[in-house]
Amino acid sequence: MPGPYLAPGPYAGGTAWPAGPPQPLPPPPPHPAAQPQWSYPGPYPGPYAQPYAWGPPPRTRWDVPPPPGTRYDRLARTPLHRWWRPILGTAAIIVAFLALSIAVGLVAFVVSLVTGVPMVRTGTRLFADPVLDLGFQLGVIALLLPLVLGAAWLFQRRPPGSLSSVALRLRWRWLGACLLVALVSVVLGQAVEAGTLMSAGVDPGFRWAGWEQFLPAVIVILLLVPFQSAAEEYAYRGWIIQGFGAYLRNPWPAILVGAAAFAASHGYTGWGIAYVFAFGMLMGWLAVRTGGLEAPIALHATNNIVAFGVVAASGDMGSAMEQGEVPWEALIGSAVQFAVFGIGVLIIARKWAIQTLSR
């Protein structure tokens, strides 16, 4: 309508006001997801509501790994370590192993009744059949393996793989490399030992009894010796060294005690004790130096398979578990074996940058 106040438009007849500067558009409203959420939980739906936190709390882990940067002999010293844990675990291993040995004796008695194979109750023999006797003897020693792994988990509350290596597992590629070095070192050591014994007029004992006697024995050897050798390494180089390492920073007392216990558990006399003790010292040092049991297991298993295999080839399996005097000439071959294996393992470990501390 006409009047004194004029404005632009189709119904106005006056002059329009001058246009001002352009004004920016108002910002769009924020997305509901970008709006601040209330910290007050509630069951009501909407952008400001959060659900109630129903459900059980997350379970805490039973086994606690060692802290990063820990050496192999110190892997038992986890945040849950207490002074009594290694002692209680050792006692439990000894008691459980004695109980299982008695149970195996009862099983052997039942097997003798079922198969008709007579038992031998004198000396260290269980059965009159040497192959069956060897199988039972190796099987009893292999029982140490689950006992030691179980004690680490149950009493020390740490991953059982911490007994294997600083990687908390068995490093299979590294184990394979160590097996190749062990095979070369054992063959060279056996050759030097045989040559030394023959030059001294001592029979090295190499004979061939035929496939009929060799095959059954070598099957038992190949199936059980790796577990028997691994069980001894987990007990003497794993449990003992790490048990002492939970209290001591220096690994050499633990290596010394492990080697002494290893030698005491064998029936060698004279120079044989020196050989077994030196073997234990080398295996303990390599376990700490390479951060795991792969190298000790490789040499131990290869050495035992070759030694038992030589006896099986001769057909004299009745003397396979006999241990006694060892001629000093045989130590020359052992020294060659130890030197070749130790140097070879250290060279490959350095080239491969094998892990020696936990991460």
Side-chain angles (χ1 to χ4, degrees):
M1 296 179 63
Y5 306 102
L6 301 178
Y11 303 102
T15 304
W17 290 93
Q23 300 296 322
L25 295 176
H31 192 274
Q35 297 181 8
Q37 300 291 324
W38 288 1
S39 59
Y40 178 77
Y44 305 104
Y48 302 103
Q50 292 191 17
Y52 288 113
W54 297 110
R59 296 179 59 184
T60 58
R61 183 173 175 175
W62 171 264
D63 54 339
V64 176
T70 304
R71 203 171 54 204
Y72 175 77
D73 57 298
R74 302 274 291 171
L75 290 180
R77 194 172 181 84
T78 66
L80 295 180
H81 167 69
R82 300 295 182 270
W83 67 268
W84 49 268
R85 291 189 184 276
I87 299 174
L88 184 60
T90 302
I93 291 173
I94 295 174
V95 172
F97 183 72
L98 292 176
L100 285 177
S101 300
I102 296 174
V104 169
L106 297 177
V107 172
F109 178 73
V110 174
V111 170
S112 176
L113 292 178
V114 173
T115 61
V117 178
M119 296 187 66
V120 179
R121 295 176 175 84
T122 58
T124 59
R125 298 279 300 274
L126 283 175
F127 292 98
D129 183 84
V131 176
L132 184 60
D133 181 75
L134 178 65
F136 263 84
Q137 303 251 16
L138 295 176
V140 170
I141 299 174
L143 291 175
L144 274 173
L145 185 57
L147 294 181
V148 172
L149 294 174
W153 181 82
L154 182 61
F155 294 97
Q156 294 184 324
R157 294 187 62 179
R158 59 185 174 113
S162 59
L163 282 163
S164 301
S165 73
V166 292
L168 307 185
R169 58 179 177 83
L170 202 62
R171 299 167 291 186
W172 292 101
R173 182 169 177 262
W174 173 235
L175 177 62
C178 293
L179 283 172
L180 293 177
V181 181
L183 183 60
V184 173
S185 63
V186 169
V187 171
L188 288 177
Q190 287 284 339
V192 173
E193 178 181 339
T196 306
L197 291 176
M198 287 188 294
S199 64
V202 180
D203 183 13
F206 293 148
R207 294 179 182 82
W208 177 246
W211 290 104
E212 185 178 354
Q213 298 188 40
F214 177 72
L215 276 181
V218 79
I219 290 174
V220 173
I221 291 169
L222 291 176
L223 289 178
L224 295 179
V225 165
F227 294 100
Q228 168 259 329
S229 303
E232 292 186 358
E233 292 304 319
Y234 273 89
Y236 294 107
R237 255 64 70 181
W239 181 265
I240 291 181
I241 288 181
Q242 291 184 353
F244 277 86
Y247 308 104
L248 306 176
R249 294 185 178 273
N250 192 329
W252 283 107
I255 295 174
L256 180 64
V257 172
F262 181 68
S265 65
H266 290 72
Y268 290 103
T269 59
W271 291 106
I273 298 178
Y275 159 72
V276 179
F277 181 79
F279 184 90
M281 291 291 292
L282 176 63
M283 296 301 98
W285 178 71
L286 285 177
V288 177
R289 182 65 179 78
T290 61
L293 294 179
E294 293 87 357
I297 291 174
L299 183 60
H300 198 156
T302 305
N303 180 77
N304 284 11
I305 288 176
V306 172
F308 282 127
V310 170
V311 177
S314 67
D316 188 20
M317 288 302 298
S319 63
M321 297 298 292
E322 292 182 3
Q323 299 171 348
E325 182 68 28
V326 175
W328 69 267
E329 293 87 355
L331 299 185
I332 300 177
S334 301
V336 172
Q337 178 191 115
F338 295 165
V340 172
F341 183 75
I343 295 174
V345 164
L346 292 182
I347 291 175
I348 298 177
R350 180 173 297 180
K351 288 187 175 181
W352 287 12
I354 294 299
Q355 178 184 345
T356 57
L357 299 175
S358 62
R359 296 173 182 172

